Amino acid sequence: MTGADVRDLGPGDGRFLTPSAARAPAWHPATPRSAVGLPAVEGARSQTAPDWPEVVEHFREGLVVCGPDGVVWHVSPVAERLLPEVVAGGTLAGIGGLSSGDAEFTHHGRRLRTRRVPLSAGRSCWYVEDVSDSAGRADALVAERARSAFLAVVGEKLGNPLHPDRAAAAVVRLAVPTLAEVAVLVLAPRSGRARWWRARRADGDATTVDRGVLAAAELPPAVADGLSGAEPHAVDWLAEQAVEAGWLPGLSVADVCARLVPLPGRDTPAGVLLVARSAARWYGTDDVDLIRAFAARAGATLTTALLYHDQAEVADTLQASLLPVEPVEVPGVQWGTAYRPAQAGLRIGGDFYGSHRLPDGGSIFFLGDVSGKGVEAAVFTGQLRQCLHALHRVEQHPAQLLRLLNDALLETTLAHGQGRFATMVLGAVRPHRDGGLALTLAGGGHLPPLVVRASGEVEQLALSGMLIGVVPDPRVGQVSTRLAPGETCLLYSDGVTEARGGRRGDEQLGTARLVQAVTGCQRMPAPALAERIEQVTCDWLAQRDHDDIAVLALRATGAGGRAHRHLHAVPTPAGASQEGTAAP
């Protein structure tokens, strides 16, 4: 065999660039190997032509030369090492990967790549290369890309939930089936109880998620260790505990492998993640690293969700304590309220109202507005309402009570350097024997109240006064009036009269339009009348920005009267037999 027989071959990979001009006899099993040689190289560069097997044995690829009948004529040293079954004089029948042309297969734990090159006279040459290292690198690259893609999806899916329950369900759902056949997430116990979520996927079925609660003392020891920050390494022990806890349905200890990793939190783990799958898919080092990376992302999501939930819970509790409180029931009095803060998302603002029962059966009631908006204003209203709650026990006269409140606010604002003030109408209502109500009102710089008389006319009470919380001993106005049965007194904040709307959006609603809106509404229950004022104001605003809006209405229901149920702000028809009656 000459270099021309192995044509198109180049140095280093079993190929010669220039075919030999003369051909030596091809090697045959009956011919000694030393009788076959390459043509002599002319000139002084070499006196003796090297034997061609001596040349090809340094190729990266192994060579197997076969005759026309498929009998192996020659096996290079590299081929002998890669294919020990192939010997000269034998055949390639025992090598499955050599049954076709180009192929890639695993043989004796090595990844081999073969290609067949036809030679002259029906002969053929097989080139065999060990690609185990390059294939391993390619497989590792593909696996790393798959892991990166999985973690990218995890980061995207876990970036949205801000509720702990939804975040926990998303974590276990994402873990199946990439990381496990069954995934269990256990949150750190709170109040002695630990909540858990489990995702599992049967063959061909969709992933299902369930949840439960365990007492902290009933948690498996491995889970308790994980919640302290440790990562259990006794895999058999872990699987046994998970099966006993009932978290791995359909799996036995002998047929399952499991891992448990803590989910990082702020100071302590936010929880632990238990993953389990068939023992045929054992968790290797790369798998455990992927689980830890997944757990890090899951821990960050759960920590954020838990922190947001805690803060939202605190905010809701504080907001609830700062919201206006509905007035207490008083015999002969029907209350109606409406409240719309400037920042609807906060649900709180700088307007407030409320009432406190008096020992004689009457009630102290009030409506006011503090300087500012939003959270700071709401906090100030909370302080003011707490002051009123304490002071009304020692003073029931409206004007005197307003002066005491002024002194208390001055001390509070000076101590904190806030310089805040408030406007307010504060009154005392006492039922009369004839079913009417006796009102005594004190004003501290607030808008004067309106009274809807039984005739349908609207009267504006002459009530004035100075701001509360600005100067010591302010001038406080006071007025007394009487409500006959069916008459209503209206208190409202400047968010009503100063609401800007109209054609150009800069015209205030004003007191005149407000009076016009409630004129003739003497038959409306107090809740309906308060709702009507709110609706008229909102229609005037046409969804524009506005100040805090608050309305407090009190109606004399008459002796032995009771508050009728209110459904909507529609006046009762003039022919109705009973005033204030609403549909059942």
Side-chain angles (χ1 to χ4, degrees), residues 450-476:
L450 301 178
V451 176
V452 181
R453 295 300 182 183
S455 63
E457 296 180 352
V458 178
E459 175 187 351
Q460 186 177 45
L461 300 180
L463 183 64
S464 61
M466 297 179 63
L467 298 176
I468 302 301
V470 177
V471 297
D473 194 19
R475 179 177 56 83
V476 176

Side-chain angles (χ1 to χ4, degrees), residues 246-581:
W247 286 336
L248 306 180
L251 297 176
S252 63
V253 177
D255 300 331
V256 68
C257 63
R259 285 286 180 178
L260 186 141
V261 293
L263 304 179
R266 284 182 290 176
D267 299 322
T268 59
V272 294
L273 178 66
L274 170 69
V275 291
R277 62 189 183 190
S278 173
R281 299 172 57 200
W282 191 262
Y283 287 111
T285 303
D286 292 340
D287 296 326
V288 174
D289 290 342
L290 180 60
I291 294 172
R292 289 171 179 155
F294 176 81
R297 288 159 174 79
T301 297
L302 284 169
T303 301
T304 302
L306 290 169
L307 179 61
Y308 178 83
H309 178 266
D310 293 343
Q311 291 179 343
E313 193 174 46
V314 171
D316 289 343
T317 302
L318 293 177
Q319 285 192 43
S321 67
L322 297 176
L323 287 173
V325 180
E326 293 300 313
V328 296
E329 293 186 5
V330 176
V333 179
Q334 183 186 43
W335 301 99
T337 61
Y339 180 69
R340 185 178 292 265
Q343 301 179 27
L346 288 177
R347 299 189 296 132
I348 55 177
D351 289 0
F352 61 97
Y353 55 77
S355 72
H356 299 290
R357 193 188 304 274
L358 295 176
D360 59 3
S363 176
I364 291 289
F365 63 94
F366 53 89
L367 183 143
D369 182 9
V370 304
S371 59
K373 298 180 182 179
V375 176
E376 293 183 355
V379 171
F380 187 50
T381 63
Q383 296 173 349
L384 192 149
R385 287 192 292 130
Q386 291 297 324
C387 289
L388 274 176
H389 183 73
L391 293 175
H392 89 278
R393 299 179 180 276
V394 297
E395 179 62 63
Q396 287 85 40
H397 192 276
Q400 290 299 111
L401 180 56
L402 208 54
R403 291 188 178 92
L404 288 177
L405 180 63
N406 178 80
D407 295 340
L409 291 183
L410 277 177
E411 292 181 5
T412 302
T413 55
L414 290 176
H416 294 86
Q418 295 174 338
R420 290 190 174 276
F421 59 89
T423 66
M424 179 184 298
V425 173
L426 189 150
V429 55
R430 290 177 173 85
H432 201 269
R433 293 180 180 180
D434 61 358
L437 298 175
L439 300 183
T440 302
L441 300 103
H446 199 78
L447 298 170
L450 301 178
V451 176
V452 181
R453 295 300 182 183
S455 63
E457 296 180 352
V458 178
E459 175 187 351
Q460 186 177 45
L461 300 180
L463 183 64
S464 61
M466 297 179 63
L467 298 176
I468 302 301
V470 177
V471 297
D473 194 19
R475 179 177 56 83
V476 176
Q478 181 171 305
V479 65
S480 297
T481 188
R482 183 178 180 278
L483 298 182
E487 295 183 339
T488 305
C489 179
L490 295 172
L491 309 183
Y492 52 93
S493 65
D494 58 4
V496 175
T497 55
E498 295 179 4
R500 294 186 177 274
R503 293 183 178 180
R504 294 181 297 179
D506 59 353
E507 187 176 358
Q508 292 186 354
L509 177 65
T511 304
R513 289 190 179 90
L514 175 60
V515 170
Q516 183 181 359
V518 298
T519 299
C521 296
Q522 70 275 14
R523 296 182 180 274
M524 295 182 67
L529 192 55
E531 182 182 331
R532 176 176 176 80
I533 295 174
E534 179 187 13
Q535 188 62 51
V536 168
T537 305
C538 292
D539 291 344
W540 181 257
L541 286 166
Q543 298 183 349
R544 298 181 181 90
D545 293 338
H546 60 86
D547 197 358
D548 299 321
I549 298 172
V551 180
L552 176 64
L554 65 154
R555 177 183 176 87
T557 59
R562 63 181 181 87
H564 298 286
R565 188 173 60 172
H566 164 61
L567 295 181
H568 48 77
V570 177
T572 305
S577 59
Q578 184 178 3
E579 70 172 332
T581 302

Side-chain angles (χ1 to χ4, degrees), residues 79-392:
E80 288 178 353
R81 186 175 69 254
L82 299 178
L83 303 171
E85 301 88 347
V86 179
V87 294
T91 63
L92 302 179
I95 310 300
L98 298 178
S99 59
S100 59
D102 298 350
E104 187 171 317
F105 59 96
T106 302
H107 189 68
H108 293 301
R110 307 296 295 178
R111 192 72 177 170
L112 305 181
R113 181 181 298 156
T114 62
R115 56 190 178 92
R116 181 179 179 275
V117 177
L119 304 178
S120 60
R123 295 167 297 176
S124 60
C125 180
W126 290 87
Y127 291 86
V128 185
E129 182 182 3
D130 185 356
V131 294
S132 300
D133 294 339
S134 59
R137 289 191 295 268
D139 292 343
L141 180 60
V142 171
E144 182 60 32
R145 287 177 176 174
R147 288 191 290 268
S148 299
F150 170 69
L151 293 176
V153 172
V154 168
E156 179 181 356
K157 297 293 184 181
L158 295 183
N160 297 326
L162 287 177
H163 192 281
D165 291 2
R166 288 194 289 269
V171 168
V172 294
R173 187 178 289 110
L174 285 169
V176 176
T178 303
L179 300 179
E181 297 173 10
V182 180
V184 180
L185 185 149
V186 183
L187 288 182
R190 289 192 172 192
S191 302
R193 302 183 68 83
R195 296 185 296 160
W196 58 265
W197 284 258
R198 176 181 59 188
R200 54 178 174 169
R201 185 177 188 179
D203 295 338
D205 295 336
T207 302
T208 59
V209 178
D210 57 349
R211 55 188 293 182
V213 180
L214 276 178
E218 298 176 0
L219 289 174
V223 173
D225 292 344
L227 290 172
S228 66
E231 184 175 331
H233 297 286
V235 179
D236 296 338
W237 178 56
L238 173 61
E240 181 179 351
Q241 293 184 30
V243 171
E244 290 178 355
W247 286 336
L248 306 180
L251 297 176
S252 63
V253 177
D255 300 331
V256 68
C257 63
R259 285 286 180 178
L260 186 141
V261 293
L263 304 179
R266 284 182 290 176
D267 299 322
T268 59
V272 294
L273 178 66
L274 170 69
V275 291
R277 62 189 183 190
S278 173
R281 299 172 57 200
W282 191 262
Y283 287 111
T285 303
D286 292 340
D287 296 326
V288 174
D289 290 342
L290 180 60
I291 294 172
R292 289 171 179 155
F294 176 81
R297 288 159 174 79
T301 297
L302 284 169
T303 301
T304 302
L306 290 169
L307 179 61
Y308 178 83
H309 178 266
D310 293 343
Q311 291 179 343
E313 193 174 46
V314 171
D316 289 343
T317 302
L318 293 177
Q319 285 192 43
S321 67
L322 297 176
L323 287 173
V325 180
E326 293 300 313
V328 296
E329 293 186 5
V330 176
V333 179
Q334 183 186 43
W335 301 99
T337 61
Y339 180 69
R340 185 178 292 265
Q343 301 179 27
L346 288 177
R347 299 189 296 132
I348 55 177
D351 289 0
F352 61 97
Y353 55 77
S355 72
H356 299 290
R357 193 188 304 274
L358 295 176
D360 59 3
S363 176
I364 291 289
F365 63 94
F366 53 89
L367 183 143
D369 182 9
V370 304
S371 59
K373 298 180 182 179
V375 176
E376 293 183 355
V379 171
F380 187 50
T381 63
Q383 296 173 349
L384 192 149
R385 287 192 292 130
Q386 291 297 324
C387 289
L388 274 176
H389 183 73
L391 293 175
H392 89 278

